[in-house]
Amino acid sequence: NKTLKQMKDITVDEALSHPNWKMGKKITIDSATMMNKGLEVIEAKWLFKTETEKIDVLIHPQSVIHSMVEFIDGSIKAQLGIPDMKIPIQYAITYPDRINSVHSKMDFNLFNSLTFEKVDTDKFRCLKIAYDVIKEDSSSAVVMNAANEIAVDLFLNGRIDFLSIPDLIEIELERHTPSSDTDLENIINIDKDTRIYLREKYSI
């Protein structure tokens, strides 16, 4: 709920203090910038062969609803669960079977209010960057991902401020000449070149 001006002064400790999830440092910062959702939009497009315009992101403070799909008749199916990755990981291991879990389960007496908010892309520019990149359908997505990882590392080490994360990504995207060549070797080289350039630039 911070203003854009306040977000510039977000400390590393503040950015790592997620109210619901306990995750590693990199993914926690991605959650704070909403780059994690940008990456998930890209995943959804390719995994489900879905038009970008049909993929929407909402802020859900309770972290209970993890995804929703609307069908052509207007009905909606949602995947709900406590904010803990143990259950999804268990299901990934046991798929297609579901086995009894010893982990905590949903208690709707505790989660009795589910709210949603639109994303302010002026505050969370990483999500806008991801949407812009996916519309290009080019190597820019590779550059975005690599630049984001370097930017997060710089922020965690006190080298840049929080709002400089999307700044760095945008600058690197402007430097890049997009390519439609999706050959694996080309993708690996673009990723490598992006990281080498940024590490040299910031003396990492």
Side-chain angles (χ1 to χ4, degrees):
N1 295 322
K2 291 181 179 290
T3 65
L4 184 60
K5 185 176 181 180
Q6 291 171 327
M7 288 176 71
K8 184 176 178 62
D9 298 321
I10 287 176
T11 66
V12 171
D13 287 341
E14 286 176 321
L16 289 174
S17 299
H18 196 288
N20 300 325
W21 292 93
K22 293 182 180 178
M23 306 174 287
K25 290 184 177 181
K26 196 271 182 181
I27 186 60
T28 302
I29 300 303
D30 279 353
S31 180
T33 63
M34 293 202 72
M35 178 57 88
N36 67 325
K37 295 305 167 191
L39 294 168
E40 288 172 11
V41 168
I42 294 173
E43 290 170 3
K45 174 184 170 63
W46 294 112
L47 288 175
F48 301 106
K49 296 179 174 59
T50 306
E51 297 174 17
T52 311
E53 294 73 21
K54 293 183 178 180
I55 305 171
D56 199 8
V57 174
L58 292 172
I59 295 175
H60 173 46
Q62 295 79 29
S63 302
V64 169
I65 296 179
H66 305 296
S67 61
M68 295 187 289
V69 178
E70 182 179 12
F71 295 87
I72 58 174
D73 63 357
S75 62
I76 296 174
K77 287 187 178 181
Q79 197 280 324
L80 288 75
I82 59 171
D84 191 321
M85 287 302 295
K86 294 187 183 74
I87 294 174
I89 292 171
Q90 175 179 291
Y91 184 52
I93 294 171
T94 63
Y95 178 84
D97 300 318
R98 290 186 184 273
I99 64 174
N100 187 45
S101 173
V102 297
H103 309 302
S104 301
K105 296 181 172 65
M106 282 295 305
D107 181 350
F108 284 99
N109 289 309
L110 298 176
F111 296 97
N112 57 10
S113 177
L114 303 177
T115 59
F116 306 91
E117 304 167 16
K118 279 189 169 291
V119 180
D120 182 345
T121 52
D122 288 332
K123 291 170 63 175
F124 299 102
R125 282 162 45 218
C126 284
L127 181 60
K128 182 180 184 302
I129 292 170
Y131 267 102
D132 290 341
V133 160
I134 199 172
K135 289 174 184 176
E136 290 183 18
D137 193 12
S138 72
S139 56
S140 292
V142 179
V143 173
M144 181 199 78
N145 180 68
N148 177 64
E149 291 190 8
I150 297 295
V152 169
D153 184 62
L154 288 168
F155 171 71
L156 287 171
N157 286 285
R159 300 280 304 281
I160 62 174
D161 62 52
F162 186 75
L163 290 183
S164 291
I165 294 174
D167 286 342
L168 186 153
I169 298 168
E170 287 180 337
I171 291 170
E172 189 60 16
L173 284 168
E174 289 175 5
R175 190 182 73 86
H176 176 65
T177 301
S179 168
S180 59
D181 182 358
T182 56
D183 178 77
L184 181 58
E185 184 177 357
N186 187 50
I187 290 172
I188 291 172
N189 286 334
I190 291 171
D191 178 85
K192 182 180 178 181
D193 290 345
T194 302
R195 294 172 191 273
I196 289 173
Y197 173 80
L198 288 173
R199 285 183 180 129
E200 289 179 350
K201 181 178 179 179
Y202 290 95
S203 302
I204 298 175

